[in-house]
Amino acid sequence: MTQSKTDPRVLRTRRLIIDSFIELSAKKEFKDITVKDITTEAMINRATFYYHFEDIYDLLEKALSEVLLVNLNGDVYKYDKLNEEVFVSIFTAITNFQKSLSNRCHRGYEDTIARIIREQLEVIIYKMLVKQTTTVDKDSPKIHSIILSWGLYGASVEWKRMGMTIPPEKFIKSAIPYLLSGIELDSNN
Amino acid sequence: MTQSKTDPRVLRTRRLIIDSFIELSAKKEFKDITVKDITTEAMINRATFYYHFEDIYDLLEKALSEVLLVNLNGDVYKYDKLNEEVFVSIFTAITNFQKSLSNRCHRGYEDTIARIIREQLEVIIYKMLVKQTTTVDKDSPKIHSIILSWGLYGASVEWKRMGMTIPPEKFIKSAIPYLLSGIELDSNN
DNA sequence: TTCGATTTGTCGTTTATCCAACACTTTGAA
DNA sequence: TTCAAAGTGTTGGATAAACGACAAATCGAA
């Protein structure tokens, strides 16, 4: 399905780089991390880094995407439909991510990170919406996924601002009926 | 001093292979481990294995050497002289190794393993003897290291036979004066 | 024993990684 | 501001690793 035959060396090297980056992120801020730091930690050549990533922002983007997906880890894709359980699952993934970020002080890059998370969310939600959309309006899933991704991310920001103490599932619960009602317009069942 | 600039790729690959081998050794007997098993576990190509090792026995040899050296881990090389402390340290390393072997059932290859351990011991002891030898007799360190390596390994076999319960340092203690007396003939201080 | 299946070593070709060098930009301290 | 040091991104040539294929050896059950 995916790309079943990527060169093992590529997979290995990308893993080394991303893992090293995550490792380093725990120790210093993003702005203080250099490409050299990463390649040294990963024990690969600096030139090899550029073979795989545009630059350090490209790496940030891909690393974040991965971390986010790991958090969503199958929980979401098990179901094809956007129901209550899936919304809670997604929101919990985002808040988990927010928590790990707050430890790893990426101060000054919240905007970039926010954009990346939201874009990932949009893609994920869009895929699920398309599966269950039965109306003729093709643009509907697109705009819905945009609104939902911004909305869910915004909710997580507010959750963070309130001290990250409320259980995420409780926090999002009251919004679920509203979120679902809009979705149901797209599908018949 | 050693080989200061080996290609990082070979270090990485050797590490993957050796680690995978040690990993597999914990699960099955040596005779049931194939080259394919190792390379699959290490996620490297089978041909690459033969680029680094003669065959699986060559790997066994080098892996064992490394494990032994890790056990001796600097403890020995910190001192230049073969004194009581060093003897105890070496003997403890051997018994530790014997213990890990007994878990990892390499049944049927004890002889090979014994030989490898003993050869490593001989090299290590020889190096230390040369450093402190002041007599003109150049052959003396050689034969002494041979006898000591066989002797120490034999003691560890006996220790194992007795159930591996006696603290190694206690077990070897009574032999220390004897071992040292011979050494002192080589050096003046 | 015999025969099929698995494992072993080896080889030639392709590709990913290494390395040193390069010009350019950013940084930070004098 | 100025200048040296550090970081960035790119290149070409060298080399390790991947891959598929191969004959030969070994294994295991009929």
Side-chain angles (χ1 to χ4, degrees), chain A residues 7 9-10 13 43-48 51-52:
Chain A
D7 193 312
R9 289 173 288 184
V10 172
T13 302
M43 290 189 296
I44 57 132
N45 194 275
R46 203 165 57 86
T48 307
Y51 184 89
H52 294 280

Side-chain angles (χ1 to χ4, degrees), chain B residues 127-145:
Chain B
K127 282 182 188 166
M128 302 190 80
L129 280 179
V130 166
K131 280 186 196 166
Q132 64 185 294
T133 296
T134 54
T135 60
V136 281
D137 183 4
K138 287 182 182 174
D139 296 336
S140 164
K142 181 65 178 170
I143 185 67
H144 283 178
S145 63

Side-chain angles (χ1 to χ4, degrees), chain A residues 4-189:
Chain A
S4 51
K5 43 190 173 187
T6 319
D7 193 312
R9 289 173 288 184
V10 172
L11 299 175
R12 195 179 305 150
T13 302
R14 291 208 178 127
R15 183 107 314 280
L16 280 171
I17 293 175
I18 292 182
D19 287 348
S20 301
F21 176 62
I22 292 175
E23 189 68 28
L24 282 175
S25 300
K27 296 180 195 157
K28 27 175 157 174
E29 301 186 33
F30 176 73
K31 71 174 171 52
D32 293 331
I33 298 176
T34 71
V35 173
K36 181 79 188 120
D37 291 337
I38 296 167
T39 56
T40 302
E41 171 91 14
M43 290 189 296
I44 57 132
N45 194 275
R46 203 165 57 86
T48 307
F49 175 92
Y50 292 101
Y51 184 89
H52 294 280
F53 301 96
E54 190 87 7
D55 52 28
I56 206 172
Y57 298 97
D58 184 31
L59 168 61
L60 172 65
E61 200 154 326
K62 287 170 177 164
L64 283 186
S65 302
E66 189 186 281
V67 173
L68 196 61
L69 278 179
V70 167
N71 280 341
L72 286 174
N73 191 20
D75 282 358
V76 170
Y77 286 109
K78 268 189 302 201
Y79 316 94
D80 288 338
K81 290 178 58 182
L82 267 177
N83 52 26
E84 167 159 359
E85 192 172 356
V86 175
F87 270 123
V88 171
S89 182
I90 290 179
F91 187 71
T92 306
I94 307 174
T95 53
N96 280 339
F97 189 65
Q98 291 274 24
K99 261 189 288 187
S100 69
L101 270 190
S102 68
N103 301 331
R104 294 177 180 166
C105 43
H106 282 282
R107 287 183 256 291
Y109 285 87
E110 285 89 351
D111 292 348
T112 308
I113 292 165
R115 178 179 53 77
I116 294 168
I117 293 181
R118 208 203 48 70
E119 284 169 359
Q120 288 296 315
L121 276 182
E122 185 185 322
V123 170
I124 292 169
I125 294 173
Y126 180 75
K127 282 183 187 165
M128 302 190 79
L129 280 179
V130 166
K131 280 186 194 165
Q132 65 184 293
T133 297
T134 54
T135 58
V136 280
D137 182 3
K138 286 183 184 173
D139 296 334
S140 164
K142 179 69 178 169
I143 186 66
H144 283 178
S145 63
I146 289 175
I147 293 174
L148 284 172
S149 63
W150 281 93
L152 284 171
Y153 185 75
S156 81
V157 171
E158 176 64 12
W159 172 83
K160 185 180 184 183
R161 202 191 60 77
M162 289 178 67
M164 308 190 292
T165 49
I166 307 170
E169 55 275 16
K170 192 176 178 185
F171 187 86
I172 200 66
K173 196 180 171 190
S174 56
I176 298 276
Y178 173 71
L179 296 171
L180 284 176
S181 68
I183 301 295
E184 280 155 7
L185 296 179
D186 292 334
S187 62
N188 294 330
N189 45 353

